[in-house]
Amino acid sequence: MNWITKIIKAGEKIKSAIHKRASKEDIANSDWTSCCKGPILKKDLEENLWVCFDCNKHHRIKPKQRFDILFGKDNYEIFKTPIPKDDPLNWTDSKSYKDRLKSARKKTGMDCGMMVVSGVINDIKITAVASDFDFLGASMAAAEGEAFLYGIQHAIENKTPFLCISAGGGMRMMESLISLSQMTRTTLAINELKNNNLPYLVCITDPTAGGITASYAMLGDIHIAEPGALIAFAGARVIQGTVKEELPEGFQKSEYVEKTGFVDLIVERKDLSEKIGTLLSILLKKNSVISTEQDENTKNTQSLSKIA
């Protein structure tokens, strides 16, 4: 082998290494991720609550990371929720549903795509649920429905407000009508919560779509959204193909959805805990200003009754 052949072969190896794309597993195990200006250390992003320093993109995070931000590091109780039988329809496509569930559980360390906890914000005890997008796209199936209902039942029994941190692409096709029935079940559960005069707050995160948007994510007393979150039912291309018109810029982003009245507030991740605490203080009439005004109104009413 002469020196020219060696150079050519070495060049081919370098070219192959440059063009080889990192797998999802490689990226997940790396210390780096990427955003607007290219690579960024995960530890630096984590210090800023997984929000980009430059473009303010709110990166997707896991339920435990969300609860650490809201309640303080490990300052909450995680509940073990009921898990129905796996794969009730014996579903198989390119891979069996049971294998998909096994992989999702190994990847996330969760039994299903929802985590239910109890924590405290602003001296107010809260029951909360959050979805993990890494668990089959945070899609909704029987186990997630059971988790949601468990959380609502806990809130009613303990007379706490309920906070839902929504994410996911919709109902899980591997469970067909069983999955779709969770839209009805969660709606009825929320109605029962409201019948008990308990607040239901929704924090919409990226992405929230499909049957999730069409059910529990849009039934809150107040809807909060993170900046830049995708909030949709059908995909933008499907809508554009149906209406045969160009869609507005930023269509289906939380800022646009706020303008059209489906979202009440857009709140940055660093301000979520404080904002939720303030809102719940008002809704539960724990705010000192509101309490003072109510006392004055009561005294005025009593005075008028005596005069009458």
Short mmCIF file of all heavy atoms in Angstrom, two decimals, residues 37 58 66 70 99 124 132 136 158 176 179 198 227 236-237 266 269 294:
data_model
loop_
_atom_site.label_atom_id
_atom_site.label_comp_id
_atom_site.label_asym_id
_atom_site.label_seq_id
_atom_site.Cartn_x
_atom_site.Cartn_y
_atom_site.Cartn_z
N LYS A 37 -28.01 28.95 19.19
CA LYS A 37 -26.64 29.28 18.79
C LYS A 37 -25.74 28.06 18.73
O LYS A 37 -24.53 28.17 18.77
CB LYS A 37 -26.06 30.33 19.74
CG LYS A 37 -26.74 31.69 19.58
CD LYS A 37 -26.01 32.77 20.33
CE LYS A 37 -26.64 34.13 20.06
NZ LYS A 37 -25.96 35.21 20.80
N HIS A 58 -38.13 27.48 26.10
CA HIS A 58 -38.38 26.65 27.26
C HIS A 58 -38.31 25.18 26.83
O HIS A 58 -39.24 24.66 26.23
CB HIS A 58 -39.75 26.98 27.86
CG HIS A 58 -39.76 28.24 28.66
ND1 HIS A 58 -39.30 29.44 28.16
CD2 HIS A 58 -40.16 28.50 29.95
CE1 HIS A 58 -39.43 30.38 29.10
NE2 HIS A 58 -39.95 29.82 30.18
N ARG A 66 -40.03 19.49 36.87
CA ARG A 66 -41.08 20.50 37.02
C ARG A 66 -41.46 20.67 38.49
O ARG A 66 -41.60 21.79 38.98
CB ARG A 66 -42.33 20.10 36.22
CG ARG A 66 -42.12 20.18 34.73
CD ARG A 66 -43.43 20.27 33.97
NE ARG A 66 -43.14 20.43 32.55
CZ ARG A 66 -42.84 21.58 31.97
NH1 ARG A 66 -42.77 22.68 32.68
NH2 ARG A 66 -42.61 21.64 30.67
N LEU A 70 -41.36 23.90 41.03
CA LEU A 70 -42.58 24.42 41.65
C LEU A 70 -42.57 24.35 43.17
O LEU A 70 -42.93 25.30 43.86
CB LEU A 70 -43.80 23.66 41.11
CG LEU A 70 -44.28 23.99 39.71
CD1 LEU A 70 -45.37 23.02 39.29
CD2 LEU A 70 -44.79 25.42 39.62
N ASP A 99 -43.74 -4.29 24.32
CA ASP A 99 -42.32 -3.92 24.21
C ASP A 99 -42.14 -2.41 24.27
O ASP A 99 -41.17 -1.92 24.86
CB ASP A 99 -41.74 -4.47 22.90
CG ASP A 99 -41.53 -5.98 22.95
OD1 ASP A 99 -41.52 -6.54 24.07
OD2 ASP A 99 -41.40 -6.60 21.87
N ILE A 124 -50.14 26.80 50.61
CA ILE A 124 -51.35 26.16 50.11
C ILE A 124 -50.98 24.75 49.63
O ILE A 124 -50.11 24.59 48.77
CB ILE A 124 -51.97 26.96 48.95
CG1 ILE A 124 -52.37 28.36 49.41
CG2 ILE A 124 -53.20 26.23 48.38
CD1 ILE A 124 -52.75 29.30 48.29
N ASP A 132 -44.90 13.14 31.10
CA ASP A 132 -43.53 12.98 30.61
C ASP A 132 -43.57 12.68 29.11
O ASP A 132 -44.04 11.62 28.69
CB ASP A 132 -42.84 11.85 31.35
CG ASP A 132 -41.34 11.80 31.07
OD1 ASP A 132 -40.92 12.31 30.01
OD2 ASP A 132 -40.60 11.25 31.89
N LEU A 136 -43.75 7.56 25.49
CA LEU A 136 -44.61 7.41 24.30
C LEU A 136 -45.29 8.73 23.93
O LEU A 136 -46.49 8.77 23.64
CB LEU A 136 -45.66 6.31 24.54
CG LEU A 136 -45.10 4.90 24.80
CD1 LEU A 136 -46.21 3.92 25.12
CD2 LEU A 136 -44.30 4.41 23.60
N ASN A 158 -58.99 15.57 50.14
CA ASN A 158 -58.15 16.40 51.01
C ASN A 158 -58.43 17.90 50.84
O ASN A 158 -57.71 18.73 51.40
CB ASN A 158 -56.67 16.10 50.72
CG ASN A 158 -56.28 14.72 51.15
OD1 ASN A 158 -55.92 14.48 52.29
ND2 ASN A 158 -56.36 13.77 50.22
N SER A 176 -56.84 2.38 21.35
CA SER A 176 -58.05 2.68 20.59
C SER A 176 -59.13 3.37 21.43
O SER A 176 -58.89 4.40 22.04
CB SER A 176 -58.57 1.37 19.98
OG SER A 176 -59.63 1.59 19.08
N SER A 179 -58.49 4.32 25.03
CA SER A 179 -57.76 5.59 25.15
C SER A 179 -58.71 6.78 24.99
O SER A 179 -58.70 7.71 25.79
CB SER A 179 -56.65 5.64 24.12
OG SER A 179 -56.01 6.89 24.14
N LEU A 198 -63.47 23.38 44.25
CA LEU A 198 -62.01 23.36 44.32
C LEU A 198 -61.44 23.86 42.99
O LEU A 198 -61.89 23.44 41.92
CB LEU A 198 -61.52 21.94 44.61
CG LEU A 198 -61.91 21.39 45.99
CD1 LEU A 198 -61.63 19.89 46.06
CD2 LEU A 198 -61.15 22.12 47.09
N PRO A 227 -43.98 30.19 27.53
CA PRO A 227 -43.70 30.87 26.26
C PRO A 227 -43.35 29.88 25.15
O PRO A 227 -42.63 28.90 25.37
CB PRO A 227 -42.49 31.75 26.60
CG PRO A 227 -42.55 31.94 28.08
CD PRO A 227 -43.12 30.67 28.63
N ALA A 236 -50.88 21.85 11.89
CA ALA A 236 -50.99 23.08 11.08
C ALA A 236 -51.17 22.75 9.59
O ALA A 236 -51.97 23.39 8.90
CB ALA A 236 -49.77 23.95 11.29
N ARG A 237 -50.45 21.74 9.09
CA ARG A 237 -50.56 21.40 7.67
C ARG A 237 -51.94 20.83 7.32
O ARG A 237 -52.46 21.07 6.24
CB ARG A 237 -49.46 20.41 7.28
CG ARG A 237 -48.12 21.09 7.01
CD ARG A 237 -47.08 20.14 6.48
NE ARG A 237 -46.60 19.23 7.52
CZ ARG A 237 -45.64 18.33 7.33
NH1 ARG A 237 -45.07 18.21 6.16
NH2 ARG A 237 -45.24 17.56 8.32
N ILE A 266 -49.41 33.97 29.93
CA ILE A 266 -48.16 33.32 29.55
C ILE A 266 -47.15 33.65 30.63
O ILE A 266 -46.88 34.83 30.91
CB ILE A 266 -47.67 33.77 28.17
CG1 ILE A 266 -48.66 33.31 27.10
CG2 ILE A 266 -46.28 33.21 27.88
CD1 ILE A 266 -48.35 33.77 25.71
N ARG A 269 -41.02 30.08 33.16
CA ARG A 269 -40.85 28.98 34.11
C ARG A 269 -40.37 29.46 35.48
O ARG A 269 -40.83 28.98 36.52
CB ARG A 269 -39.86 27.98 33.52
CG ARG A 269 -39.85 26.62 34.18
CD ARG A 269 -39.04 25.64 33.35
NE ARG A 269 -39.75 25.23 32.16
CZ ARG A 269 -39.20 24.60 31.12
NH1 ARG A 269 -37.90 24.35 31.13
NH2 ARG A 269 -39.91 24.24 30.07
N GLN A 294 -63.78 41.71 52.00
CA GLN A 294 -64.94 40.88 52.33
C GLN A 294 -65.48 41.20 53.72
O GLN A 294 -66.69 41.28 53.94
CB GLN A 294 -64.57 39.40 52.25
CG GLN A 294 -64.52 38.88 50.82
CD GLN A 294 -64.28 37.40 50.79
OE1 GLN A 294 -63.60 36.87 51.66
NE2 GLN A 294 -64.83 36.74 49.80
#
